[in-house]
Amino acid sequence: VDSLKSSVRKAIINGKANACPMGIRLAWHQSGTFDKSDGSGGSNGATMRYEPEASHGANAGLSIIRDMLKPVLAEHPNVPISDIWALTGKFACEFLGGPKIDVRIGRTDKPEGPSDRPDGRLPDASQGAEHLREIFYRQGFNDQEIVALSGAHTLGRCHRTRSGYDGPWTQNPLKFDNSYFSNLINMKWKPREWDGPLQYENENGKYMMLPTDMALITDEKFKPFVEMYANDEAAFFRDFAAAFSKLISNGCNEQCQPKEDDPVKLAGDMSAQFREHCMHGSLEHAKKCIADGGDVSSLE
């Protein structure tokens, strides 16, 4: 895994670009096709290599990151492509200061053939709260997890040539933090007057939100989670890591499933939270992390 991490970093962060946000999107879109009712779709298979899935509207632009990762595939020919894509999402989040995410390997790549991932399984940014629930409930997520996963919009930006939308969500699109939620709650949003699809902008027009983003603060069940994450970055990191790990394991065999009771993982989580609380001077929470197994000498 360490060798893969180094290869991925070299492939997606270079003098021309930092493609970490796109790396997270690749892992997400590979996984977000899961349907718990029949087990179809999900993180297994790497079927986005083939048509028609490669050309689904929600996957526009992802051929770029798939091409950027080709050197990684060449350096690690015995690792399934689907594992590499999943780990790219994990590593990309961590490279930009996000939480450590439990992603386990053991996927298998599928040959080209009939697809079990019809178009329309990924979120449509032009829709509202009920659409989000339809998409994410199908995968087994609840309202809190929907909001936590939406926090991935703290990274990257929209590109008109790909999605039709335009602009960044946050002040630093290459820093994983809770700015997305802070912006949603604290900025005033209005429809953007332009020739593109409906999107929202703040008062000075520097930042944008999609209709699905605005649904998180207009829906009475979603909004309390937005407020919580805007005020507690450590809670956002914790819940995003758990939800993203679940997302990336959907549709995979038991070997790839996160182990919630893994003592090594739990100690690592507590160590990361300990560092976070120390950085913010939260002595009481830091002490609790130590009591729960955190290592005060651990490193990032």
Side-chain angles (χ1 to χ4, degrees):
V1 173
D2 287 341
S3 176
L4 269 170
K5 187 173 185 178
S6 177
S7 296
V8 169
R9 187 181 186 97
K10 183 171 62 176
I12 68 175
I13 302 177
N14 53 54
K16 294 183 178 179
N18 184 327
C20 286
M22 198 182 297
I24 293 175
R25 182 169 169 245
L26 174 67
W28 184 313
H29 284 218
Q30 172 183 228
S31 309
T33 55
F34 182 65
D35 188 332
K36 67 177 183 179
S37 68
D38 59 11
S40 62
S43 184
N44 209 43
T47 55
M48 201 192 302
R49 294 170 291 164
Y50 312 125
E51 297 293 349
E53 186 179 351
S55 297
H56 287 174
N59 293 331
L62 287 178
S63 60
I64 298 171
I65 189 70
R66 296 199 300 271
D67 286 345
M68 293 179 75
L69 289 170
K70 285 181 178 178
V72 181
L73 311 185
E75 291 174 17
H76 302 274
N78 295 322
V79 180
I81 297 172
S82 46
D83 274 342
I84 290 175
W85 288 358
L87 287 168
T88 294
K90 164 188 168 64
F91 296 149
C93 177
E94 295 170 10
F95 292 155
L96 300 186
K100 295 188 183 301
I101 299 170
D102 184 12
V103 176
R104 297 167 186 256
I105 61 175
R107 293 162 185 78
T108 56
D109 296 335
K110 295 182 179 180
E112 188 170 7
S115 175
D116 65 350
R117 301 153 196 254
D119 200 1
R121 286 195 175 185
L122 292 165
D124 177 350
S126 69
Q127 302 296 314
E130 291 313 305
H131 169 74
L132 285 176
R133 289 193 173 94
E134 178 184 351
I135 293 294
F136 285 97
Y137 283 8
R138 187 200 72 230
Q139 302 173 60
F141 293 105
N142 59 32
D143 285 356
Q144 171 261 312
E145 292 170 316
I146 292 172
V147 177
L149 287 170
S150 297
H153 281 174
T154 202
L155 298 175
R157 59 173 294 141
C158 288
H159 301 79
R160 190 169 187 180
T161 56
R162 300 174 195 168
S163 65
Y165 298 98
D166 173 63
W169 288 274
T170 66
Q171 297 87 327
N172 188 344
L174 293 176
K175 181 182 180 182
F176 194 98
D177 57 20
N178 67 339
S179 295
Y180 167 76
F181 297 111
S182 297
N183 289 356
L184 263 176
I185 291 294
N186 297 318
M187 292 182 178
K188 294 182 179 179
W189 299 96
K190 61 181 180 180
R192 178 179 176 181
E193 296 181 5
W194 71 318
D195 61 351
L198 174 64
Q199 67 177 65
Y200 297 82
E201 63 182 6
N202 70 328
E203 290 181 303
N204 63 17
K206 290 181 66 176
Y207 310 114
M208 60 82 65
M209 290 288 167
L210 302 168
T212 45
D213 299 316
M214 297 303 295
L216 301 183
I217 55 173
T218 56
D219 183 272
E220 62 179 14
K221 293 182 179 179
F222 285 149
K223 187 175 181 180
F225 297 115
V226 176
E227 294 171 332
M228 177 176 71
Y229 295 144
N231 294 313
D232 189 342
E233 185 173 82
F236 166 50
F237 275 35
R238 177 198 66 219
D239 292 348
F240 179 85
F244 197 75
S245 178
K246 177 179 173 180
L247 172 73
I248 298 302
S249 69
N250 275 345
C252 297
N253 57 37
E254 181 63 27
Q255 183 178 341
C256 298
Q257 300 303 315
K259 305 296 188 294
E260 296 182 3
D261 57 349
D262 183 342
V264 174
K265 175 183 179 297
L266 292 175
D269 288 348
M270 286 301 105
S271 300
Q273 290 184 41
F274 169 78
R275 295 190 297 270
E276 175 73 16
H277 290 309
C278 286
M279 184 173 68
H280 294 288
S282 301
L283 182 60
E284 179 182 353
H285 294 298
K287 287 181 176 179
K288 186 176 187 306
C289 288
I290 296 173
D292 289 340
D295 179 3
V296 300
S297 300
S298 66
L299 300 175
E300 289 287 356

